[in-house]
Amino acid sequence: MKGKVVPLKVKAKPAGPSLIRDWPEIKELLQPYITEMELCLHQEITKAPDLIKDYLLAQAARGERLCPGLFLATVKAGGGEPQEDWPRLSAALEALHLALKMHRSLGRGEEGMPAATAVLCGDFCFSLALSLCADVPIFVKGMAEVISRSAAAAVNMPGPGSGLESWRRFVLQRISSGSASLLALACSLGAWQSRLELWQNEALAFFGHYLGMGWRLRQEISLLERDLREKKEKLEINMPLVYIIERSPRRHQMLALLGKNGGLLPGKLVRGENFCKGDYEDYVNAVAGSCFDKAREYLEQLTGSLDRQILSRFIG
């Protein structure tokens, strides 16, 4: 698929609510490319086998669009000359995000989707991501590195008998190698597309990395709240749970279960704990805030060398 994406009879379904408060304004600044990206992604997903098409369309409609948004915003900030392949390349980044997200959902029973079907959905999106950018080797190489890092971080789990600090490092490394690495890639590729200098590319990559850390940490608060509200049978270890375990009188029991069950805790056990939402929320927001501060530091390094206004809108 090459060239500019033109809307035919199929209309893009609206993206789900974004984590970014200023997303409507950002989206307006990124026109027409962000809308063309939506059309490209939607049209490509409609080519999926019927068995998984509806699920893929539903997942894509709820996407946060951080990856394509950051790529396009970085290109715009860097003064890149408009190119017809921007929508296609940014759609490739969103497809990769969807693939990683769906593979990570395995075992959580989300959407009532069997594990085998979730694997097929993720694999389709991996293939879609790479095929959309197959003619741009640097995109393919960057995506392959993110896939490798994400897979390694997911399986490099603390074993039985590991302490809480090991699980805390595991959670942070999983975010760093997954969500954060993907946003770092989006910024780095945007800098490459704008032909920025190496030091600018590196600063933007670190900006994207810490941005990804901060947003994923904040997202974990709402994910835990949703799982508790829906009375999920198993809860995946994340930063809010690290806080709850650390302050629980049943800490050793929970740690033993984490090691035995591959990083999962019985939802019933966690719901039986006496904890306040505001406590773990404050803790996680403080960690996320430190990540956003680092993102600001790297963005400030670029003062005078590119337009930072649109990129600063992504910081929480």
Side-chain angles (χ1 to χ4, degrees), residues 12 36 54 82 85 102 109 126 132 308:
E36 291 176 350
D54 289 343
D85 62 358
M102 284 184 276
F126 278 131
L132 284 172
R308 299 179 301 135

Side-chain angles (χ1 to χ4, degrees), residues 175-231:
I175 296 173
S176 175
S177 298
S179 305
S181 286
L182 186 52
L183 293 193
L185 176 65
C187 288
S188 180
L189 291 174
W192 172 83
Q193 189 80 29
S194 297
R195 294 177 170 80
L196 298 181
E197 296 182 22
L198 179 60
W199 71 271
Q200 294 171 304
N201 192 312
E202 290 179 347
L204 284 164
F206 277 112
F207 164 76
H209 180 271
Y210 283 106
L211 199 65
M213 293 289 296
W215 279 122
R216 178 62 194 183
L217 284 164
R218 282 195 178 174
Q219 193 178 42
E220 288 192 341
I221 297 173
S222 59
L223 289 175
L224 177 62
E225 290 170 358
R226 181 202 65 186
D227 289 351
L228 291 174
R229 184 173 59 251
E230 295 178 359
K231 296 185 177 180

